[in-house]
């Protein structure tokens, strides 16, 4: 198995500043943003020369224009040193890097607009926004000093001079405990609602030696995620149902209240104002994010427990619901289906442990019986119940998870001798419409 590439993940370290420290943090962020706005103008003015330089060459080139030293007494923009007296060098270089990124992004987007790459014919040209909500990056030793993981000392601006202040760290995650993770320069995030450090980590997971099994996930409406661990010979060694019914009901109840409030607001006719029930929609989005995080974490825990070679999902990109009438409860449940968010969060968490996520063809994963007997018949009253042609009743989502696992195994192994094999009833190659029975057939052929 190939060694996984280095990935970047960010932790949030919550701080507990005093009222005096909040004032200091606010002044520091305000001054840093002011410096960034000033530097955006300088860099954009000289972008014809600066745009061709590398990142390492650009910082000293900008400093020659605006930072006065003993060896460089004459500069083109002396106002910077006068306005930002004793501005720390590392804060200045971080601001230069941020401002250069803003200018580079603007120039690229403006050239694309000039060349005709536009969403609409009447699209307006992009604007250079120097007033951005950026936050200062902290460099170790110069801008912050870490004392264990209980408190941190940060260089801040008190209105007249740059001083050091110590603030407590109230909560943090566990990425700093992993020896292979390398802590990078954090950013001080401070506003009316938040006060924390955004701490990125360069994660380089160890090379894995997985077992011969995959963790298959069937994402559904009745059950959020049905998980089955399938070995390469077709044995199901674990299965689990993950469904956060309480959180889903909480979300759906809030969404259902929107239609009631809308009817009371506009009656039989009329239009709703912009931003109607925006707080309710934001709350529902946060509930969805929490559900996706919990479900993806449990999927990764199962895959880690059984040391799976990969986590297998259906390829549902571009899928649109066909069932349910407009404004019906079923259509609302389809719109709240977290198929993409759960898959993406699972991939991010699993990649951090050195694993990989693969996708298989979604067609007929739940319609074909895993034992190869043919197409299943779904119960009209209880859609999660499937009846096989042999008369056997089975959970439809679990049947789909078995078939997804089988297709994942075939995709991983890519055995040339299995190209011609097909399911008992489907008549399709196993790489596209394989069922669990195809792994049994392959195992029997090897033993014979």
């Amino acid at each position: 198995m190939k060694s996984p590439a280095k990935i970047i993940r960010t932790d949030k370290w919550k701080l507990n500043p005093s009222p005096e420290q909040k004032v200091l943090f606010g002044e520091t962020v305000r001054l840093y943003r002011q410096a960034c706005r000033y530097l955006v103008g300088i860099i954009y003015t000289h972008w014809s020369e600066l745009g061709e330089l590398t990142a390492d060459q650009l910082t000293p080139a900008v400093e020659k224009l605006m930072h006065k030293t003993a060896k460089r007494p004459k500069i083109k923009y002396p106002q910077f040193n006068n306005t930002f007296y004793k501005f720390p060098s590392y804060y200045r270089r971080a601001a230069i890097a941020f401002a250069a990124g803003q200018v580079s992004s603007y120039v690229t987007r403006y050239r694309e607009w000039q060349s005709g790459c536009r969403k609409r014919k009447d699209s307006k040209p992009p604007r250079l926004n120097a007033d951005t909500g950026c936050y200062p990056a902290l460099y170790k030793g110069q801008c912050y000093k870490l004392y264990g993981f209980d408190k941190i000392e940060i260089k801040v601006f008190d209105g007249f001079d740059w001083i050091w202040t110590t603030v407590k760290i109230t909560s943090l995650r566990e990425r700093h405990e992993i020896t292979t993770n390398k802590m990078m320069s954090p950013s001080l995030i401070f506003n009316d609602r938040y006060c924390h450090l955004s701490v990125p980590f360069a994660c380089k997971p160890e090379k894995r030696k997985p077992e011969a099994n995959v963790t298959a996930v069937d994402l559904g409406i009745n059950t959020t995620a049905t998980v089955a661990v399938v070995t390469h010979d077709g044995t199901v060694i674990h299965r689990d149902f993950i469904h956060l019914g309480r959180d889903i009901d909480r979300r759906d109840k809030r969404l259902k209240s929107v239609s009631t409030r809308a009817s009371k607001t506009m009656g039989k006719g009329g239009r709703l104002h912009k931003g109607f029930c925006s707080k309710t929609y934001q709350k529902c989005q946060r509930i969805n994010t929490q559900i996706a995080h919990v479900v993806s974490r449990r999927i990764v825990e199962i895959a880690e427990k059984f040391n799976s070679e990969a986590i297998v999902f259906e390829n549902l990109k571009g899928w649109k619901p066909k069932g349910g009438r407009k404004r019906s409860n079923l259509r609302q449940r389809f719109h709240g289906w977290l198929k993409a968010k759960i898959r993406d969060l699972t991939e991010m968490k699993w990649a951090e442990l050195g694993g990989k996520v693969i996708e298989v063809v979604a067609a007929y994963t739940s319609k074909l019986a895993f034992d190869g007997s043919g197409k299943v018949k779904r119960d009209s009253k209880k859609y999660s119940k499937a009846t096989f042609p042999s008369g056997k009743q089975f959970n439809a989502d679990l049947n789909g998870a078995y078939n997804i696992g089988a297709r994942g195994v075939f995709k991983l192994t890519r055995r040339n001798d299995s190209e011609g094999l097909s399911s008992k009833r489907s008549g399709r190659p196993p790489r596209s419409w394989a069922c669990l029975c195809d792994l049994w057939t392959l195992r029997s052929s090897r033993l014979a």
Side-chain angles (χ1 to χ4, degrees), residues 20-34 82-88 91 136 138 143 154-165 188:
E20 294 79 11
Q21 288 175 328
K22 289 182 179 180
V23 175
L24 296 177
F25 290 162
E27 281 293 312
T28 304
V29 173
R30 180 194 63 79
L31 191 67
Y32 181 80
R33 290 179 177 178
Q34 186 179 349
N82 298 333
T83 306
F84 306 99
Y85 182 63
K86 289 186 177 180
F87 198 77
Y91 278 129
L138 310 178
C143 302
I154 305 174
K155 182 178 282 189
V156 294
F157 186 67
D158 64 352
F160 302 97
D161 199 3
W162 291 87
I163 62 174
W164 290 92
T165 183
L188 174 62

Coordinates of all heavy atoms in Angstrom, one line a residue, residues 20-34 82-88 91 136 138 143 154-165 188:
E20 N -9.9 43.0 29.8 CA -8.8 43.8 29.4 C -8.1 43.2 28.2 O -7.7 43.9 27.2 CB -7.8 44.0 30.5 CG -8.4 44.9 31.7 CD -9.3 44.1 32.6 OE1 -9.3 42.8 32.4 OE2 -9.9 44.7 33.4
Q21 N -8.0 41.8 28.2 CA -7.3 41.1 27.1 C -8.2 41.2 25.8 O -7.6 41.2 24.7 CB -7.0 39.7 27.5 CG -5.9 39.5 28.5 CD -5.7 38.1 29.0 OE1 -6.7 37.3 29.0 NE2 -4.5 37.8 29.3
K22 N -9.5 41.2 26.0 CA -10.4 41.3 24.8 C -10.1 42.6 24.1 O -10.1 42.7 22.8 CB -11.8 41.2 25.2 CG -12.2 39.8 25.6 CD -13.7 39.7 25.9 CE -14.1 38.3 26.3 NZ -15.6 38.2 26.7
V23 N -9.9 43.7 24.9 CA -9.6 45.0 24.3 C -8.3 44.9 23.5 O -8.1 45.5 22.4 CB -9.6 46.1 25.3 CG1 -9.1 47.4 24.7 CG2 -10.9 46.2 26.0
L24 N -7.3 44.3 24.1 CA -6.0 44.1 23.4 C -6.1 43.3 22.1 O -5.5 43.7 21.1 CB -5.0 43.5 24.4 CG -4.6 44.2 25.7 CD1 -3.7 43.4 26.6 CD2 -4.0 45.6 25.3
F25 N -6.8 42.2 22.2 CA -7.0 41.4 21.0 C -7.7 42.2 19.9 O -7.4 42.1 18.7 CB -7.8 40.1 21.3 CG -7.0 39.2 22.1 CD1 -7.7 38.2 22.8 CD2 -5.7 39.2 22.2 CE1 -7.0 37.2 23.6 CE2 -5.0 38.3 23.0 CZ -5.6 37.3 23.7
G26 N -8.7 43.0 20.3 CA -9.5 43.8 19.3 C -8.6 44.8 18.6 O -8.6 45.1 17.4
E27 N -7.7 45.5 19.4 CA -6.8 46.4 18.9 C -5.7 45.8 17.9 O -5.4 46.3 16.9 CB -6.0 47.2 20.0 CG -6.8 48.2 20.7 CD -7.1 49.4 19.8 OE1 -6.1 49.9 19.1 OE2 -8.3 49.8 19.7
T28 N -5.3 44.6 18.3 CA -4.3 43.9 17.5 C -4.9 43.5 16.1 O -4.3 43.7 15.1 CB -3.8 42.6 18.2 OG1 -3.3 43.0 19.5 CG2 -2.8 41.9 17.4
V29 N -6.1 43.0 16.1 CA -6.8 42.6 14.9 C -7.1 43.8 14.0 O -6.9 43.8 12.8 CB -8.1 41.8 15.2 CG1 -8.9 41.6 13.9 CG2 -7.8 40.5 15.9
R30 N -7.5 44.9 14.7 CA -7.8 46.1 13.9 C -6.5 46.7 13.2 O -6.6 47.0 12.1 CB -8.4 47.2 14.9 CG -8.7 48.5 14.2 CD -9.0 49.6 15.2 NE -7.8 49.9 16.0 CZ -6.8 50.6 15.6 NH1 -6.8 51.2 14.4 NH2 -5.7 50.8 16.4
L31 N -5.4 46.7 14.0 CA -4.2 47.3 13.4 C -3.6 46.4 12.3 O -3.1 46.8 11.3 CB -3.2 47.5 14.5 CG -1.9 48.3 14.1 CD1 -2.3 49.7 13.8 CD2 -0.8 48.2 15.2
Y32 N -3.8 45.1 12.5 CA -3.3 44.1 11.5 C -4.1 44.3 10.2 O -3.5 44.2 9.1 CB -3.4 42.7 12.0 CG -2.9 41.6 11.1 CD1 -1.5 41.3 11.0 CD2 -3.8 40.9 10.3 CE1 -1.1 40.4 10.1 CE2 -3.3 39.9 9.5 CZ -2.0 39.6 9.4 OH -1.6 38.7 8.5
R33 N -5.4 44.4 10.3 CA -6.2 44.6 9.1 C -5.9 45.9 8.4 O -5.9 46.0 7.2 CB -7.7 44.5 9.5 CG -8.1 43.1 9.9 CD -9.6 43.1 10.2 NE -10.0 41.7 10.6 CZ -11.2 41.4 11.0 NH1 -12.2 42.4 11.1 NH2 -11.6 40.2 11.2
Q34 N -5.6 46.9 9.2 CA -5.2 48.2 8.6 C -3.9 48.1 7.8 O -3.8 48.7 6.7 CB -5.1 49.3 9.7 CG -4.9 50.7 9.2 CD -4.8 51.7 10.4 OE1 -5.1 51.4 11.5 NE2 -4.3 52.9 10.0
N82 N 5.8 55.1 9.7 CA 5.3 56.2 10.5 C 4.0 55.9 11.1 O 3.7 56.2 12.2 CB 5.2 57.5 9.7 CG 6.5 58.0 9.2 OD1 7.6 57.7 9.8 ND2 6.5 58.7 8.0
T83 N 3.1 55.2 10.3 CA 1.8 54.8 10.7 C 1.8 53.6 11.7 O 1.1 53.6 12.7 CB 0.9 54.5 9.5 OG1 0.9 55.6 8.6 CG2 -0.6 54.3 10.0
F84 N 2.6 52.6 11.3 CA 2.7 51.4 12.1 C 4.0 51.4 12.8 O 4.9 50.6 12.4 CB 2.5 50.2 11.2 CG 1.2 50.3 10.4 CD1 1.2 50.7 9.1 CD2 0.0 49.9 11.0 CE1 0.1 50.7 8.3 CE2 -1.2 50.0 10.2 CZ -1.1 50.4 8.9
Y85 N 4.1 52.2 13.9 CA 5.4 52.3 14.6 C 5.7 51.0 15.3 O 4.8 50.5 16.1 CB 5.3 53.5 15.5 CG 6.6 53.8 16.3 CD1 7.8 54.1 15.6 CD2 6.7 53.7 17.6 CE1 9.0 54.3 16.3 CE2 7.8 53.9 18.3 CZ 9.0 54.2 17.7 OH 10.1 54.5 18.3
K86 N 6.9 50.5 15.2 CA 7.4 49.3 15.9 C 6.5 48.1 15.6 O 6.3 47.2 16.4 CB 7.4 49.5 17.4 CG 8.5 50.4 17.9 CD 8.5 50.4 19.4 CE 9.6 51.3 20.0 NZ 9.7 51.3 21.4
F87 N 6.0 48.1 14.4 CA 5.2 46.9 13.9 C 6.1 45.7 13.8 O 7.1 45.7 13.2 CB 4.6 47.2 12.5 CG 3.4 46.3 12.2 CD1 2.2 46.5 12.7 CD2 3.6 45.3 11.3 CE1 1.1 45.8 12.4 CE2 2.5 44.5 11.0 CZ 1.2 44.7 11.5
P88 N 5.8 44.6 14.6 CA 6.6 43.4 14.6 C 6.9 42.9 13.2 O 6.0 42.8 12.3 CB 5.8 42.4 15.4 CG 5.0 43.3 16.3 CD 4.6 44.4 15.4
Y91 N 4.7 39.9 12.1 CA 3.4 40.3 11.7 C 3.4 41.0 10.4 O 2.5 40.8 9.5 CB 2.8 41.3 12.8 CG 2.2 40.6 14.0 CD1 2.6 41.0 15.3 CD2 1.3 39.6 13.9 CE1 2.0 40.4 16.4 CE2 0.7 39.0 15.0 CZ 1.1 39.4 16.2 OH 0.5 38.8 17.3
P136 N -4.6 37.9 12.3 CA -3.1 37.8 12.3 C -2.6 36.4 12.5 O -3.1 35.6 13.3 CB -2.7 38.7 13.5 CG -3.9 38.8 14.4 CD -5.1 38.7 13.4
L138 N 0.3 33.9 13.8 CA 1.3 34.0 14.9 C 2.5 33.0 14.6 O 2.2 31.9 14.3 CB 0.6 33.6 16.2 CG -0.7 34.3 16.5 CD1 -1.2 33.8 17.9 CD2 -0.5 35.8 16.6
C143 N 5.8 35.8 17.9 CA 4.4 36.3 18.2 C 3.7 35.5 19.3 O 2.7 36.0 19.8 CB 3.6 36.2 16.9 SG 4.3 37.1 15.5
I154 N 0.8 35.8 24.0 CA 0.7 36.3 22.7 C 1.1 37.8 22.7 O 0.9 38.5 23.6 CB -0.8 36.2 22.2 CG1 -1.3 34.8 22.3 CG2 -0.9 36.8 20.8 CD1 -2.8 34.6 22.0
K155 N 1.8 38.2 21.6 CA 2.2 39.6 21.5 C 1.1 40.4 20.9 O 0.6 40.1 19.8 CB 3.5 39.7 20.6 CG 4.0 41.1 20.4 CD 5.2 41.2 19.6 CE 6.4 40.8 20.4 NZ 7.7 41.0 19.6
V156 N 0.6 41.4 21.6 CA -0.6 42.2 21.2 C -0.2 43.7 21.3 O 0.8 44.1 21.8 CB -1.8 41.9 22.2 CG1 -2.2 40.4 22.0 CG2 -1.4 42.1 23.6
F157 N -1.1 44.5 20.7 CA -1.0 45.9 20.7 C -1.9 46.6 21.7 O -3.1 46.3 21.7 CB -1.3 46.4 19.2 CG -1.0 47.9 19.0 CD1 0.3 48.4 19.1 CD2 -2.1 48.8 18.8 CE1 0.5 49.7 18.9 CE2 -1.8 50.1 18.6 CZ -0.5 50.6 18.6
D158 N -1.4 47.4 22.6 CA -2.2 48.0 23.6 C -2.6 49.5 23.2 O -3.1 50.2 24.1 CB -1.4 48.1 24.9 CG -0.2 48.9 24.9 OD1 0.2 49.4 23.8 OD2 0.5 49.1 25.9
G159 N -2.4 49.9 22.0 CA -2.7 51.2 21.6 C -1.5 52.1 21.4 O -1.6 53.1 20.7
F160 N -0.4 51.8 22.1 CA 0.8 52.6 22.1 C 2.0 51.7 21.8 O 2.9 52.2 21.1 CB 1.0 53.3 23.4 CG -0.1 54.2 23.8 CD1 -1.1 53.8 24.7 CD2 -0.2 55.5 23.3 CE1 -2.2 54.6 25.0 CE2 -1.3 56.3 23.6 CZ -2.3 55.9 24.5
D161 N 2.0 50.5 22.3 CA 3.2 49.7 22.1 C 2.8 48.2 22.0 O 1.6 47.8 22.3 CB 4.2 49.9 23.3 CG 5.6 49.4 23.0 OD1 5.8 49.0 21.8 OD2 6.4 49.4 23.9
W162 N 3.8 47.3 21.6 CA 3.5 45.9 21.5 C 4.0 45.2 22.8 O 5.1 45.4 23.2 CB 4.2 45.3 20.3 CG 3.6 45.8 19.0 CD1 3.9 46.9 18.3 CD2 2.6 45.1 18.3 NE1 3.1 47.0 17.2 CE2 2.3 46.0 17.2 CE3 1.8 44.0 18.5 CZ2 1.3 45.6 16.2 CZ3 0.9 43.6 17.5 CH2 0.6 44.5 16.4
I163 N 3.1 44.5 23.5 CA 3.4 43.9 24.8 C 3.0 42.4 24.7 O 2.3 42.0 23.8 CB 2.6 44.6 25.9 CG1 1.1 44.5 25.7 CG2 3.1 46.0 26.0 CD1 0.3 45.0 26.9
W164 N 3.4 41.7 25.7 CA 3.0 40.2 25.8 C 1.9 40.1 26.9 O 1.9 40.7 27.9 CB 4.2 39.4 26.3 CG 5.3 39.3 25.2 CD1 6.4 40.1 25.0 CD2 5.4 38.3 24.2 NE1 7.1 39.7 24.0 CE2 6.5 38.6 23.4 CE3 4.6 37.2 23.8 CZ2 6.9 37.8 22.3 CZ3 4.9 36.5 22.7 CH2 6.1 36.7 22.0
T165 N 1.0 39.2 26.6 CA -0.1 38.9 27.5 C -0.4 37.4 27.5 O -0.3 36.8 26.4 CB -1.4 39.7 27.1 OG1 -2.4 39.4 28.1 CG2 -1.9 39.3 25.8
L188 N -4.9 34.1 15.3 CA -5.7 34.6 16.4 C -7.1 35.0 15.8 O -7.2 36.0 15.1 CB -5.0 35.7 17.1 CG -5.8 36.4 18.1 CD1 -6.2 35.5 19.3 CD2 -5.1 37.7 18.7

